[in-house]
Amino acid sequence: MSTILAYLREYASAIDRGLLFFCIVWIGVLITLNYQLSIEKELIAGLDSRLDQWLALFLVYCSAFIIPYLFAMVVRKQWMTFTPMFWLLLFIAPALFALKVSIANPLENSMDGVWGGYLTIITTLPFKCLVVLVPLVILYQMLPAQSSFWGMTLRDVRWRPYCLMLALMVPLIIFASTQADFLNAYPRLKQVAFIEPYTGNLLWYQLLYEISYGIDFITVELFFRGFLVFAFIRYAGPAALLPMATFYCSIHFGKPLFECISSFFGGLILGIIAHRTQSIVGGLAVHLGIAWMMEIGGYAGNLWMK
């Protein structure tokens, strides 16, 4: 754990405090607008076409990701390498994640019945993973060589600090499991509760759902702590971690407010660790562990409140 704390202290001593302050204020403005106007849950979700949803999400993600970069360039006068590839990547990133969020599963509305609905649910997140993964493979081949595929390496990973990080999250998740907005959102497993009367092997189908759910965190870590860190740090240096964190926070706009706010700081910490260790695997393990603990917390909390 001392190693992780050393990484954080080192970054804190070198960080551009003006850029940090701007990113915190800016994401605070975006969070306020979103939760006051229900931009994600009602306005965007209520749009008629997937194309309209993609465009709206693209604009939201651009505001969270590109504006901090523009502030760093224009106001803070951060040194950056302004190449055509940098500008291309700057717009590819929000476009790609907006596509991931808005795209429909090809099985949607094509399979009837209880099991058709279940199959659609458990294949949606793996399908969205492929939507992100294929462009990331192409970009990995196009950009200068890296030591691993967007940080997916076990080399020199020390597991003890990550286990301690997970242990520190336990009391926070226990507290969250007593809050109404958290219990309304979790466990995600309740999405497949409708199959219960139709199977004698409910546990296996629930496990399959949780595996599918976990795949989404592989997608998220590859994109945010992999692509947005390792692709952009060669142009912007460590300053790239702050726009990544604001972007990451913006994908939580439909989540409980505390989870949304904490995602900025959690995303920044995981980004710092990924940058210093040149690996996203430890952070992925933490993210998956937190996600599944939240599932357990939501399940236990809802049982307790009955």
Side-chain angles (χ1 to χ4, degrees), residues 202-217:
L202 180 63
L203 181 62
W204 292 106
Y205 290 107
Q206 290 176 327
L207 179 61
L208 187 57
Y209 171 83
E210 291 294 353
I211 292 171
S212 170
Y213 179 55
I215 287 173
D216 195 46
F217 294 91

Side-chain angles (χ1 to χ4, degrees), residues 112-127:
D112 297 327
V114 170
W115 295 109
Y118 174 79
L119 187 60
T120 299
I121 289 172
I122 65 165
T123 57
T124 293
L125 293 178
F127 168 70

Side-chain angles (χ1 to χ4, degrees), residues 68-290:
Y69 268 111
L70 295 177
F71 178 85
M73 297 173 200
V74 177
V75 179
R76 301 303 295 172
K77 303 191 184 302
Q78 288 273 352
W79 179 88
M80 296 184 185
T81 305
F82 301 111
T83 67
M85 180 56 76
F86 168 76
W87 291 106
L88 181 62
L89 292 173
L90 200 62
F91 285 92
I92 283 176
L96 178 56
F97 207 83
L99 178 64
K100 181 262 185 192
V101 175
S102 61
I103 196 168
N105 185 340
L107 296 181
E108 192 173 297
N109 300 322
S110 66
M111 302 186 69
D112 297 327
V114 170
W115 295 109
Y118 174 79
L119 187 60
T120 299
I121 289 172
I122 65 165
T123 57
T124 293
L125 293 178
F127 168 70
K128 288 174 180 280
C129 181
L130 287 175
V131 168
V132 173
L133 185 61
V134 171
L136 290 188
V137 169
I138 295 170
L139 289 168
Y140 178 73
Q141 298 298 326
M142 291 173 56
L143 294 172
Q146 302 177 49
S147 59
S148 63
F149 178 69
W150 301 121
M152 286 293 281
T153 177
L154 288 168
R155 187 170 56 249
D156 299 326
V157 174
R158 299 176 182 177
W159 291 106
R160 179 180 168 82
Y162 300 108
C163 292
L164 289 172
M165 289 174 70
L166 276 175
L168 291 173
M169 289 300 300
V170 171
L172 295 177
I173 291 173
I174 291 173
F175 170 75
S177 301
T178 65
Q179 305 304 301
D181 59 343
F182 180 89
L183 296 178
N184 286 333
Y186 294 96
R188 300 292 187 186
L189 184 63
K190 61 180 134 184
Q191 291 184 58
V192 296
F194 62 87
I195 68 168
E196 187 171 350
Y198 300 92
T199 178
N201 298 302
L202 180 63
L203 181 62
W204 292 106
Y205 290 107
Q206 290 176 327
L207 179 61
L208 187 57
Y209 171 83
E210 291 294 353
I211 292 171
S212 170
Y213 179 55
I215 287 173
D216 195 46
F217 294 91
I218 298 175
T219 310
V220 167
E221 288 303 315
L222 266 175
F223 183 83
F224 285 94
R225 259 63 70 182
F227 173 51
L228 294 193
V229 171
F230 295 111
F232 285 87
I233 214 151
R234 63 168 51 94
Y235 302 108
L241 300 181
L242 286 167
M244 177 277 293
T246 59
F247 188 174
Y248 181 61
C249 185
S250 74
I251 73 168
H252 292 77
F253 282 171
K255 302 288 182 69
L257 181 59
F258 176 76
E259 182 181 349
C260 178
I261 294 171
S262 63
S263 68
F264 173 83
F265 301 99
L268 181 59
I269 290 169
L270 291 177
I272 293 167
I273 295 170
H275 170 48
R276 291 293 282 108
T277 62
Q278 293 295 291
S279 173
I280 68 169
V281 174
L284 172 59
V286 170
H287 206 165
L288 278 170
I290 291 172

